[in-house]
């Protein structure tokens, strides 16, 4: 708890918390504006109303989430490299892996808040603008959990990358490259491509159904735990040069 309190005080200076809150607010605002502008077009698509609400509005929200994750993970470790602070941590009675885990938890909770804000907007649209009886809260909650879970591999991967490179432009460049390559591969049905975390985050956006894919969800969970485990191991055994 002491380490978490210290990390929270640090994040007040990094801007990570406002960035992820802004992502949630912007995503919610986009959902409202997009549906207002394209309501008739969207509801005339040959899809179930809930599939329209969730899959057709999620694409741009996902892009906002992805770049919010990339920016936040780059910022959260940048402060540790100033004045070689992270190197000095190894000389203090501070657990560097615990510091890494606390950063992961802070990012995860704030990203979850962003997801909640976005899905509250989708719920409001569904209850007021979909045909009578078409809105299904269970489907919305299921899709929200699915979109959160499929985003976690990118979050854990980008935190790992950011923790290893002192120059913030390196992880930022990797994040942009990951997004572009993910866009090129996301529509492929090849299961092997799910090893790419940026393909996983795109899966809910390219699907035509709001029903979660169990295979994608399981791979997302496995990759999240893998990248988190690697990050904790490196924080413990590999010191910064």
């Amino acid at each position: 708890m002491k380490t978490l309190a210290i990390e929270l005080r640090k994040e007040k200076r990094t801007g990570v918390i406002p960035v992820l809150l802004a992502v949630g607010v912007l995503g919610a605002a986009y959902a409202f504006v997009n549906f207002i502008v394209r309501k008739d077009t969207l509801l005339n698509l040959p899809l179930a109303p809930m599939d329209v609400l969730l899959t057709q509005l999620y694409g741009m929200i996902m892009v906002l989430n992805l770049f919010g994750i990339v920016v936040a993970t780059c910022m959260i470790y940048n402060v540790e490299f100033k004045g070689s602070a992270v190197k000095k941590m190894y000389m203090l009675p501070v657990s560097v892996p615990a510091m890494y885990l606390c950063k992961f938890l802070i990012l995860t909770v704030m990203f979850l808040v962003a997801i909640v804000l976005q899905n509250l907007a989708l719920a409001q649209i569904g209850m007021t603008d979909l045909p009578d009886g078409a809105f299904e809260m269970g489907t919305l909650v299921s899709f929200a959990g699915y979109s959160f879970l499929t985003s976690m591999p990118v979050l854990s991967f980008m935190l790992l990358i950011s923790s290893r490179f002192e120059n913030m432009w390196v992880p930022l460049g990797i994040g942009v490259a990951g997004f572009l390559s993910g866009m090129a591969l996301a529509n492929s049905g090849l299961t092997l491509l799910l090893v790419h975390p940026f393909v996983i985050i795109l899966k809910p956006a390219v699907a035509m159904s709001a029903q979660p894919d169990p295979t994608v969800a399981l791979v997302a969970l496995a990759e999240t735990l893998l990248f988190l485990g690697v990050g904790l191991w490196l924080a413990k055994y590999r010191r910064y040069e």
Side-chain angles (χ1 to χ4, degrees), residues 50-128:
M50 285 302 293
D51 290 337
V52 170
L53 174 67
L54 299 176
T55 64
Q56 300 305 304
L57 296 181
Y58 181 66
M60 189 60 194
I61 292 175
M62 180 278 304
V63 173
L64 287 170
N65 290 347
L66 191 153
F67 281 103
I69 288 171
V70 170
V71 171
T73 50
C74 289
M75 293 169 64
I76 202 168
Y77 248 100
N78 186 53
V79 69
E80 303 295 351
F81 290 113
K82 291 182 178 179
S84 300
V86 72
K87 299 178 185 177
K88 298 172 185 176
M89 290 289 183
Y90 288 97
M91 306 300 174
L92 300 172
V94 176
S95 172
V96 178
M99 180 185 78
Y100 184 95
L101 181 61
C102 287
K103 290 183 185 297
F104 175 80
L105 292 175
I106 290 169
L107 288 169
T108 299
V109 170
M110 292 311 304
F111 181 65
L112 179 60
V113 171
I115 290 287
V116 169
L117 291 174
Q118 293 162 359
N119 281 277
L120 285 175
L122 293 175
Q124 181 63 36
I125 293 169
M127 289 186 288
T128 57

Side-chain angles (χ1 to χ4, degrees), residues 218-238:
L218 285 173
V219 174
L221 178 60
E223 286 193 9
T224 301
L225 295 175
L226 173 63
F227 292 134
L228 176 60
V230 172
L232 291 171
W233 184 86
L234 289 175
K236 183 176 183 180
Y237 293 107
R238 286 192 61 184

